[in-house]
């Protein structure tokens, strides 16, 4: 039988990165601010593209706490579930060992208890750098963006 | 474990994800690059008929003609089942999965379609690609893939 040439991280690292992303999503959607922060390296960077196309940029615990507070402090946020998939790995652009770039799709649904119905709320993508810090995979950078702009440049319509 | 090995599953993951990103970002070279040269692409039409394109050049020509209509779409795949090759070829797997699409425009997002696929992937020289991709909207009258011969 022929061997499979697997590009990207090895299987054990892929599983650990899976766990990291899943822990992030659970923390996000259950209002676990400390759990969400724990998914990041101490000096991690987060960028978030806004509806008007501008980019919020933060680095380090204080900035990230400010960002997540925007959601966890919003009384309309509970009911959301975020899901991530279609993940592709590429080499770290800075060539660091135990670091990978990852791009993936994400979307959010919102469940309304009163009507007992779920709606699609948001669709976008992540551009991440993950790194192994003291033996544990962490988000070193996460760029959260809606499905608009540069990613659709081949369509000739930034939407 | 039934089905492909862990390493093979991750390689097939990478193949499917490369295909989806290429489809949704209109990258025709990456898209066609997920098929072997002799691959077949099938699409079940709304009237139940099946259209077939054979060979990478034919798939490229068909895909290039309708790629532009997908701006704002994201296709997602899940619930994947692996079906052993009928001839016992360990370098070939049937792959059955669900898919759905979302569309984002002017800040609003909505589900646009749901369906399933009947794919066949094959390893050649260590690399997995599609030898068949067959997409169909969810018909609601489908037998479980493990019930099919």
């Amino acid at each position: 039988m022929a061997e499979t040439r697997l590009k990207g991280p090895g299987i054990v690292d892929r599983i650990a990165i899976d766990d990291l992303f899943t822990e992030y999503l659970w923390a996000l959607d259950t209002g676990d601010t400390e759990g969400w922060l724990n998914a990041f390296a101490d000096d991690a960077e987060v960028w978030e593209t806004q509806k008007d196309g501008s980019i919020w940029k933060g680095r380090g615990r204080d900035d990230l706490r400010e960002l997540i507070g925007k959601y966890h402090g919003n009384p309309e946020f509970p009911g959301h579930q975020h899901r991530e998939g279609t993940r592709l790995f590429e080499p770290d652009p800075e060539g660091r060992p135990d670091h990978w770039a990852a791009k993936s799709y994400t979307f959010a649904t919102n469940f309304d208890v009163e009507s007992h119905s779920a709606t699609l709320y948001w669709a976008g993508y992540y551009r991440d750098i993950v790194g192994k810090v003291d033996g544990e995979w962490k988000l070193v950078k996460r760029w959260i963006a809606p499905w608009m702009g540069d990613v659709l440049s081949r369509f000739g319509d930034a939407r | 474990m039934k089905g492909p090995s862990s390493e093979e599953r991750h390689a097939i993951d990478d193949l499917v994800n490369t295909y989806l990103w290429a489809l949704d970002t209109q990258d025709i070279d990456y898209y066609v690059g997920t098929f072997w040269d002799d691959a077949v692409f099938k699409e079940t039409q709304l009237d139940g008929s099946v259209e077939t394109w054979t060979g990478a050049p034919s798939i490229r020509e068909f895909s290039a003609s309708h790629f532009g209509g997908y701006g704002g779409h994201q296709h997602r795949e899940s619930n994947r089942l692996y079906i052993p090759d009928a001839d016992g070829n360990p370098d070939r797997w049937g792959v059955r999965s669900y898919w759905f699409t979302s569309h984002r425009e002017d800040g609003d997002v909505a589900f646009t379609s749901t369906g399933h696929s009947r794919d066949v992937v094959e390893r050649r020289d260590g690399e997995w690609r599609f030898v068949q991709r067959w997409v169909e909207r969810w018909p609601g009258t489908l037998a479980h893939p493990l019930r099919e011969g």
Side-chain angles (χ1 to χ4, degrees):
Chain A
M1 190 191 306
E3 293 285 312
T4 289
R5 286 196 307 270
L6 189 62
K7 298 173 185 170
I11 291 167
V12 172
D13 288 330
R14 284 173 184 249
I15 292 170
I17 294 165
D18 250 358
D19 288 349
L20 168 67
F21 280 29
T22 304
E23 287 164 15
Y24 168 99
L25 295 171
W26 272 93
L28 174 63
D29 295 331
T30 60
D32 184 345
T33 299
E34 300 307 317
W36 185 86
L37 289 168
N38 193 45
F40 292 92
D42 285 343
D43 61 345
E45 204 172 358
V46 175
W47 293 7
E48 187 186 57
T49 303
Q50 310 298 305
K51 280 183 182 173
D52 64 3
S54 64
I55 302 172
W56 181 93
K57 296 182 179 180
R59 178 190 283 274
R61 279 289 189 269
D62 290 344
D63 285 356
L64 271 56
R65 189 180 292 280
E66 176 192 323
L67 175 67
I68 193 60
K70 188 173 75 172
Y71 297 104
H72 286 175
N74 179 355
E76 296 185 359
F77 188 73
H80 287 76
Q81 282 184 310
H82 291 73
R83 292 172 173 84
E84 180 266 0
T86 322
R87 194 185 308 157
L88 281 178
F89 289 104
E90 293 172 341
D92 174 42
E94 296 180 32
R96 292 167 289 188
D98 286 333
H99 283 67
W100 289 96
K103 282 191 303 192
S104 51
Y105 289 3
T106 179
F107 70 99
T109 53
N110 188 26
F111 182 72
D112 180 65
V113 175
E114 295 299 319
S115 63
H116 210 74
S117 62
T119 51
L120 186 61
Y121 177 78
W122 191 82
Y125 66 117
Y126 294 139
R127 279 168 280 187
D128 300 324
I129 303 290
V130 293
K132 200 185 272 186
V133 180
D134 296 330
E136 197 174 350
W137 285 96
K138 297 281 187 182
L139 284 159
V140 172
K141 180 178 179 182
R142 167 152 281 183
W143 184 356
I144 307 159
W147 194 247
M148 59 177 261
D150 289 350
V151 75
L152 302 182
S153 60
R154 287 172 181 268
F155 291 95
D157 174 1
R159 291 181 191 271
Chain B
M1 183 165 69
K2 297 175 186 172
S5 70
S6 300
E7 197 157 57
E8 292 162 349
R9 286 169 187 254
H10 284 290
I12 295 166
D13 262 357
D14 290 349
L15 168 68
V16 173
N17 293 343
T18 299
Y19 170 93
L20 294 172
W21 269 96
L23 174 62
D24 294 332
T25 60
Q26 205 180 11
D27 193 319
I28 191 74
D29 291 330
Y30 266 115
Y31 181 84
V32 176
T34 62
F35 294 90
W36 290 116
D37 281 348
D38 55 348
V40 172
F41 183 86
K42 295 182 176 187
E43 189 179 67
T44 304
Q45 308 301 306
L46 289 173
D47 64 3
S49 63
V50 178
E51 288 197 43
T52 302
W53 293 265
T54 303
S58 174
I59 294 169
R60 176 184 289 271
E61 186 179 3
F62 163 67
S63 302
S65 71
H66 73 281
F67 248 27
Y70 286 152
H73 277 64
Q74 282 180 306
H75 294 71
R76 294 176 172 86
E77 180 262 4
S78 59
N79 294 11
R80 195 183 307 161
L81 279 177
Y82 292 100
I83 313 294
D85 178 61
D87 296 326
N89 182 351
D91 294 323
R92 180 185 277 239
W93 288 95
V95 181
R96 300 291 302 273
S97 50
Y98 288 8
W99 55 261
F100 77 87
T101 59
S102 62
H103 182 72
R104 183 185 188 283
E105 189 159 8
D106 298 330
D108 293 325
V109 290
F111 288 113
T112 48
S113 189
T114 61
H116 70 113
S117 53
R118 309 165 187 267
D119 302 331
V120 180
V121 296
E122 187 172 291
R123 174 172 46 197
R124 298 180 187 174
D125 193 23
E127 183 179 352
W128 290 91
R129 294 191 193 182
F130 294 109
V131 288
Q132 174 184 290
R133 177 146 171 84
W134 182 354
V135 294
E136 186 172 84
R137 290 171 188 82
W138 189 251
T141 55
L142 198 67
H144 193 295
L146 299 180
R147 295 279 179 206
E148 293 186 354

